[in-house]
Amino acid sequence: AGALAAADALLARDPGSEKALALRARLLFKAGRLDEARRDLAASLVLNHDDNAARYGLAVICEKQGDLKCARGEWGTFLQLEPENAAVAARLKALGN
């Protein structure tokens, strides 16, 4: 709870901080607050489209929530940015079409 409050304070000081959004998303994910974590990761990706660390987290959340269309899209974009990533390619393949 304290770490989450600290992340909230960081975002209050700099609402456009992709790093603060990603940090809060990780904390929200660990707390099981997937909808909020998903929102923060999506906002972070608006600020930095090429952040595959945030994209990875978003894809995992989409999978956990059963939103396979979202997961496929995020894994696909991940591979466009890192085509040599075999682990992500396998994960995308496992999701099927």
Side-chain angles (χ1 to χ4, degrees):
L4 190 52
D8 287 337
L10 283 173
L11 276 169
R13 282 186 229 137
D14 186 4
S17 171
E18 67 187 75
K19 291 183 180 186
L21 281 165
L23 170 65
R24 186 170 72 176
R26 282 192 297 276
L27 295 168
L28 289 166
F29 180 85
K30 287 182 180 183
R33 295 164 60 180
L34 299 184
D35 288 336
E36 294 166 275
R38 183 174 176 167
R39 182 195 66 229
D40 279 359
L41 289 169
S44 177
L45 286 167
V46 168
L47 297 169
N48 181 3
H49 178 267
D50 296 342
D51 183 357
N52 267 350
R55 180 163 284 106
Y56 187 98
L58 181 55
V60 167
I61 289 171
C62 290
E63 281 186 34
K64 284 185 173 289
Q65 292 182 321
D67 188 348
L68 299 185
K69 181 179 179 181
C70 169
R72 283 186 205 100
E74 294 305 329
W75 291 131
T77 301
F78 192 115
L79 283 175
Q80 289 174 356
L81 296 168
E82 286 184 40
E84 72 286 349
N85 193 314
V88 169
R91 199 151 185 173
L92 179 59
K93 184 178 180 181
L95 290 178
N97 294 331

